[in-house]
Amino acid sequence: TFRRDGDRFWILAAHRNQNLLAAGHDSGMIVFKLERERPASALGPTNKLYYIRGRELFCHDHARPGLDVPIASLRRVGQQAQTDGIGSSPRHLSYNTHNPTQGNVLV
């Protein structure tokens, strides 16, 4: 929690391309980062990159640039399903390197 009881906020600006919000007040300025800028990702076998964009798991093959294949749709279960919003995207992604015959990804 951030409080500035004695200051008046007089300007609010949002960055056009990044998830940044700036607020100017009597004593200075505050910049808030709304979400993670780097998505959760993991490197798989044969130069494949697995990453999460929105609510989907994608696979990017470096051998065929420009082609991102959606692998699975993600959803939250239980109590967390009711609190979706800013900052609720998965933070970690791991690829199971111990069993390369199956494409196991842990979100």
Side-chain angles (χ1 to χ4, degrees):
T1 305
F2 188 81
R3 295 182 62 160
R4 302 293 295 188
D5 291 332
D7 288 339
R8 297 172 294 170
F9 284 83
W10 41 269
I11 191 165
L12 186 66
H15 194 276
R16 188 174 303 166
N17 300 329
Q18 297 178 354
N19 294 327
L20 299 175
L21 186 68
H25 54 87
D26 289 339
S27 300
M29 182 178 72
I30 304 169
V31 178
F32 300 97
K33 184 192 288 189
L34 298 179
E35 283 192 45
R36 295 176 53 93
E37 293 177 9
R38 284 176 271 143
S41 62
L43 204 59
T46 63
N47 288 331
K48 288 187 178 180
L49 176 70
Y50 294 91
Y51 66 96
I52 296 174
R53 183 184 340 143
R55 288 278 172 225
E56 287 191 275
L57 174 66
F58 285 87
C59 178
H60 175 79
D61 191 356
H62 290 289
R64 299 185 306 178
L67 181 63
D68 294 346
V69 179
I71 301 293
S73 179
L74 306 175
R75 65 181 178 95
R76 294 206 181 257
V77 179
Q79 183 69 20
Q80 293 178 343
Q82 295 147 7
T83 60
D84 278 357
I86 294 175
S88 67
S89 62
R91 295 176 183 245
H92 303 286
L93 185 68
S94 298
Y95 183 84
N96 183 8
T97 57
H98 301 292
N99 189 359
T101 59
Q102 296 181 358
N104 297 330
V105 178
L106 179 64
V107 178

